[in-house]
Amino acid sequence: MSLAVIKFSSEECGICHKMSFYDQKVAEELGLQFIDVKMQDTATYRKYRKILLTQYPDKSEMGWPTYILCDSPEGEFQIIGEVKGGHPKGEFRSRLQEVLNSTASA
């Protein structure tokens, strides 16, 4: 499995910016690839848009930021789970770990 965390965020989002100080480090410590997608970066956004729209067809329920865990994001991806919104570092780690644990037991 090539699991990745894809962070969908906005340059104007203060919480997204605050989490950027530790989100990639936490993801990598859990053995996950980290992909940062800013909505304003049209080239990167287009590349991963299909994953976001699979989870949120009209984007109405997504949080800022939204982290989608998925397998094989560059190919025939499979969404494993997600973490929405801003969280302190420890809680963010716990939430990612919960998604990983639910995948392992599935």
Side-chain angles (χ1 to χ4, degrees):
M1 262 196 304
S2 58
L3 288 178
V5 175
I6 305 171
K7 176 185 182 179
F8 291 94
S9 65
S10 170
E11 290 174 5
E12 287 91 47
C13 171
I15 293 168
C16 302
H17 180 70
K18 186 176 170 188
M19 288 189 69
S20 70
F21 289 104
Y22 54 82
D23 56 10
Q24 180 170 355
K25 186 173 189 281
V26 168
E28 289 171 353
E29 286 170 2
L30 293 173
L32 301 164
Q33 177 189 358
F34 186 85
I35 301 166
D36 192 4
V37 178
K38 299 251 190 313
M39 301 306 256
Q40 293 85 351
D41 178 355
T42 51
T44 306
Y45 173 67
R46 268 194 212 111
K47 185 174 181 182
Y48 297 102
R49 179 175 178 261
K50 188 174 176 186
I51 295 171
L52 180 65
L53 294 180
T54 297
Q55 191 78 343
Y56 297 102
D58 62 3
K59 298 185 200 164
S60 66
E61 299 293 316
M62 66 182 285
W64 292 101
T66 291
Y67 298 87
I68 296 179
L69 276 82
C70 88
D71 187 23
S72 305
E74 309 292 333
E76 294 294 316
F77 66 89
Q78 179 184 352
I79 295 173
I80 307 295
E82 68 180 357
V83 175
K84 289 197 293 191
H87 305 284
K89 185 176 182 179
E91 187 178 336
F92 178 65
R93 177 190 302 277
S94 299
R95 287 177 181 246
L96 279 180
Q97 190 65 60
E98 281 172 27
V99 174
L100 290 171
N101 291 348
S102 67
T103 305
S105 62

